[in-house]
Amino acid sequence: MIPVRSQIIQLLADAVAPLLEAIEGATPAGLNIELDIPKAAQHGDYATNVAMSLTRQLKRNPREIAAQIIANLKDPEGIIGKVEIAGPGFINIFVQPRAWHGVLKDIYREPGTYGRQDIGAGKKVQVEFVSANPTGPLHIGHGRGAATGDVLARILMACGFQVEREYYINDAGNQMDTLGRSLYYRYQEVMGESIEFPDAHYQGEYMRDLARDFAQEVGRQYHRTPLEEVLPIFTRYAGDRILAGIRDDLNAFGVTIDHWFSEQSLHDADAVRKTMDELEARGYIYEEEGARWFRSTAFGDEKDRVVIRANGVSTYFASDLAYHKNKFSRGFDFVVDIWGADHHGYVERMLAGVEAMGRARSDLKIILVQLVNLLRGGAPVAMSTRSGEFVTLREVLDEVGKDACRFIFLTRRSDSQLDFDLDVAKMQSNDNPVYYVQYAHARLCSIFDVARERGIACGDSPDGPPCNLDRLVEGQELEIMKLLGEYPAVLANCASALQPHFIPYYLHELVSLFHSYYNRNRILGDDNELTQARLYLAGAVRQVIRNALELLGVGAPEKM
RNA sequence: GCGCCCGUAGCUCAGUUGGAUAGAGCGUCGGACUUCGAAUCCGCAGGCCGCAGGUUCGAAUCCUGCCGGGCGUACCA
């Protein structure tokens, strides 16, 4: 049992249950009790609007219901100090200071796993993200998707889901031929040919580098060899090398992919055709104007979509249908797709596809990550893979650093656009929120170093702490304990909203409170009993900072 | 034209399953280091939550319309 918050929710639920049992058709099981933290301290540590939300069912006025709930409230452990009815029917709850000690003990009981919980109950989940075409290096926008997907995966794992990270490789279709041709032409250049590089090919500098490397490996054997004879060789080389580069960049960014899934493998296994057959058997495929269409309008899409063109070639969407069928066949309870927001027009047809395959639409959760506007000194940096004008993720990492980069991405909700100014990110590096948080961690470590030098024993036992926690009576000390107790709820929010940004905001709030407390109070003082109690508190703060940073994939340095 | 996302302090953004007096960072200005890390802290200023209606005990949050920005609207991927 997570201390205080969930204990109070349980007490309230028990108090509400008799009221609901008294009327017919009520469903106490479905009752969701919300416990808010009021903005004003006079409104208590927690407040709930449960009485107001029951007015319709109970057909009584909210204050009356609130009084009834309070009368039913049992509190054998003495967690609640005072309860009040306020305003239109809020129930304000004041927590007994000593109750917060449970939060600290909980943290010390299993430090590294504090915050983890089992709302997922072992459900299998897949998070698919980045999935950039292997035609060039990752850029900053991919980085945002990578950070979001990676951290979402970590959060879901922390919440008891079994998670697999997947990268879908679009290695089929004519873009790969374009890639191979691009390398071919650059290779001929390296051989000394003067050629006119065709439009609509990949003309980034990285292609020249690849061509030089390729020439190193194979020598002159393909010099002036007709393109058609050797294209597959060039395509394969370019694709493999670029994909390896993507893997390296992701690793440098702290992202590890569990499973790389090739689109081509679907074609090789004839999975696209099989999927189309299955959909046809279900009555969702028809022929018109020489093409074959998927009836996505049956599930709310605005128009039907072509899956097999008149020329017999399947579309990308057809592959994606087969891909998602494949995903579900692997036993995932639900799958999360993280897409660039420029694909939002694709959402409805994909959900339609999921339904047509007999799955619930909610089994596919599509998270749209908005575009990143890369700026330098306030001016936009032009980005285009084809033209080769872009700043790579790698360059941003070298310039700004992994921790700052991840933190900036993760501090905004993914569906709002983000201005990322390289100069600002560097210039402000000392005022960057990530350093604010890391500094608190380093400072805490330093305190423990000093304590050790002075020979102060630091209690770290969950049961019957060796220190007297009743000495923690400062307002901020109680606030810190309370906030530490909120951490599991923050994670649960992230998991249900599939949004990581609550964690950075939580961290900032916790760290800010700690810094303020630190400036007002001495942790290591003359009063040994008080010192030990405060160290116990400080250790808990440090632990939660660590756990949260770990989830973000951001380092928790002991010195900086 | 139609569809989706966004519009909150000078700037960048939280808060949007409806809750009490709308928050933070940066920036401006003014304070705090003989004491555990000043990459910190404390304080001041800053708002018709894009506009207008509606729903109700209560709206930044839900509904409708409008304005402004982004993206999409392929038998491309």
Side-chain angles (χ1 to χ4, degrees):
Chain A
M1 170 67 72
I2 298 164
V4 193
R5 165 177 280 279
S6 38
Q7 286 172 308
I8 291 175
I9 289 176
Q10 189 57 52
L11 295 179
L12 284 168
D14 293 345
V16 168
L19 299 184
L20 289 174
E21 282 163 13
I23 58 169
E24 292 191 23
T27 53
L31 183 71
N32 182 28
I33 293 182
E34 280 184 46
L35 206 56
D36 292 326
I37 296 182
K39 285 166 221 154
Q42 76 220 27
H43 293 139
D45 292 301
Y46 293 108
T48 180
N49 64 351
V50 66
M52 287 180 280
S53 66
L54 288 174
T55 49
R56 212 159 294 159
Q57 263 191 87
L58 297 179
K59 299 193 179 69
R60 282 154 60 195
N61 88 58
R63 291 188 66 104
E64 209 176 299
I65 297 169
Q68 210 26 264
I69 293 172
I70 290 172
N72 290 346
L73 207 53
K74 294 190 179 60
D75 178 24
E77 291 178 54
I79 294 165
I80 298 171
K82 188 171 61 164
V83 190
E84 290 174 354
I85 302 174
F90 290 105
I91 299 174
N92 293 339
I93 297 165
F94 296 78
V95 173
Q96 201 68 255
R98 188 170 292 185
W100 301 118
H101 299 175
V103 173
L104 300 186
K105 292 177 193 173
D106 214 48
I107 293 168
Y108 280 96
R109 191 164 292 124
E110 288 181 280
T113 59
Y114 176 71
R116 290 181 180 263
Q117 51 208 299
D118 196 29
I119 46 188
K123 279 189 186 145
K124 272 187 73 179
V125 179
Q126 182 207 60
V127 182
E128 180 222 323
F129 59 108
V130 188
S131 300
N133 297 341
T135 55
L138 296 180
H139 57 65
I140 185 89
H142 297 128
R144 186 178 189 186
T148 304
D150 178 54
V151 174
L152 232 34
R154 292 176 195 235
I155 289 166
L156 288 170
M157 278 191 269
C159 289
F161 293 90
Q162 239 183 83
V163 183
E164 183 174 280
R165 296 172 172 83
E166 180 151 302
Y167 185 119
Y168 182 55
I169 310 164
N170 295 127
D171 53 1
N174 50 34
Q175 60 171 350
M176 291 308 287
D177 290 341
T178 306
L179 178 72
R181 281 196 302 273
S182 302
L183 179 63
Y184 175 85
Y185 293 127
R186 289 303 187 210
Y187 171 81
Q188 300 304 334
E189 276 181 356
V190 173
M191 293 297 105
E193 299 294 319
S194 144
I195 54 146
E196 201 169 317
F197 199 79
D199 287 342
H201 280 57
Y202 302 103
Q203 42 191 310
E205 192 57 32
Y206 65 94
M207 287 306 302
R208 294 176 195 271
D209 295 341
L210 270 190
R212 272 188 287 271
D213 290 352
F214 188 59
Q216 280 277 319
E217 285 185 31
V218 304
R220 307 190 66 82
Q221 59 174 307
Y222 303 123
H223 184 206
R224 293 192 181 170
T225 310
L227 173 65
E228 310 76 54
E229 289 177 25
V230 292
L231 181 58
I233 296 169
F234 281 82
T235 300
R236 169 179 288 265
Y237 181 83
D240 287 353
R241 279 290 306 272
I242 287 173
L243 205 56
I246 287 173
R247 187 182 294 119
D248 291 345
D249 289 351
L250 286 176
N251 286 342
F253 197 40
V255 177
T256 309
I257 301 294
D258 301 311
H259 192 228
W260 299 77
F261 191 99
S262 154
E263 178 188 356
Q264 186 59 47
S265 74
L266 289 170
H267 292 95
D268 295 345
D270 210 14
V272 178
R273 190 188 58 76
K274 287 177 187 163
T275 303
M276 294 309 113
D277 287 350
E278 183 190 322
L279 290 174
E280 181 161 21
R282 289 169 178 261
Y284 297 120
I285 300 285
Y286 64 92
E287 190 154 343
E288 196 174 290
E289 296 173 18
R292 298 180 71 72
W293 299 70
F294 168 59
R295 198 183 301 280
S296 54
T297 49
F299 304 98
D301 195 11
E302 56 189 15
K303 55 177 285 200
D304 292 337
R305 309 292 173 173
V306 170
V307 284
I308 311 287
R309 301 182 190 105
N311 66 10
V313 179
S314 61
T315 62
Y316 175 81
F317 178 50
S319 296
D320 232 359
L321 287 168
Y323 177 41
H324 282 78
K325 176 173 145 59
N326 178 289
K327 286 190 185 199
F328 287 122
S329 76
R330 283 184 264 159
F332 295 112
D333 291 286
F334 65 89
V335 301
V336 181
D337 283 12
I338 295 181
W339 294 354
D342 53 338
H343 289 74
H344 74 255
Y346 210 77
V347 170
E348 273 308 314
R349 78 190 72 168
M350 199 63 247
L351 290 172
V354 169
E355 287 193 85
M357 287 182 254
R359 296 286 302 218
R361 140 181 301 245
S362 59
D363 288 345
L364 170 63
K365 306 190 188 295
I366 298 174
I367 304 297
L368 296 176
V369 176
Q370 273 292 351
L371 307 181
V372 178
N373 300 313
L374 191 67
L375 310 173
R376 195 182 278 285
V381 179
M383 300 266 276
S384 154
T385 308
R386 284 263 163 93
S387 74
E389 269 181 70
F390 59 88
V391 180
T392 63
L393 174 62
R394 173 70 69 160
E395 287 167 324
V396 174
L397 284 180
D398 290 344
E399 206 169 323
V400 179
K402 181 197 76 163
D403 287 350
C405 196
R406 286 183 79 117
F407 207 87
I408 288 170
F409 285 146
L410 296 167
T411 302
R412 285 156 182 87
R413 45 180 308 131
S414 53
D415 55 7
S416 67
Q417 287 182 45
L418 161 61
D419 288 336
F420 193 104
D421 192 312
L422 287 165
D423 288 342
V424 171
K426 271 187 305 178
M427 240 167 48
Q428 292 187 340
S429 63
N430 281 353
D431 298 314
N432 197 306
V434 71
Y435 298 112
Y436 183 72
V437 175
Q438 290 181 320
Y439 179 72
H441 183 265
R443 180 180 247 181
L444 278 156
C445 289
S446 172
I447 293 168
F448 280 92
D449 287 344
V450 174
R452 210 166 297 120
E453 281 166 25
R454 296 186 189 172
I456 301 170
C458 311
D460 60 355
S461 161
D463 312 303
C467 51
N468 181 6
L469 295 180
D470 287 327
R471 295 297 304 276
L472 301 175
V473 293
E474 294 287 334
Q476 288 190 323
E477 287 166 341
L478 300 176
E479 280 180 61
I480 289 172
M481 289 188 255
K482 177 178 170 184
L483 197 49
L484 291 173
E486 289 299 306
Y487 179 63
V490 172
L491 289 196
N493 267 341
C494 289
S496 67
L498 295 174
Q499 285 284 355
H501 72 281
F502 300 111
I503 294 174
Y505 278 93
Y506 171 80
L507 266 175
H508 190 276
E509 190 183 354
L510 175 64
V511 160
S512 166
L513 183 55
F514 169 72
H515 278 314
S516 177
Y517 169 69
Y518 175 89
N519 272 276
R520 273 183 221 183
N521 304 90
R522 289 199 64 75
I523 291 172
L524 307 175
D526 300 331
D527 182 338
N528 198 46
E529 191 185 53
L530 181 60
T531 295
Q532 296 214 340
R534 287 182 168 173
L535 275 175
Y536 195 78
L537 176 67
V541 172
R542 179 173 65 167
Q543 189 61 50
V544 172
I545 293 173
R546 268 185 195 164
N547 292 358
L549 285 176
E550 166 75 25
L551 271 189
L552 298 180
V554 171
E558 300 191 358
K559 294 195 185 331
M560 53 191 290

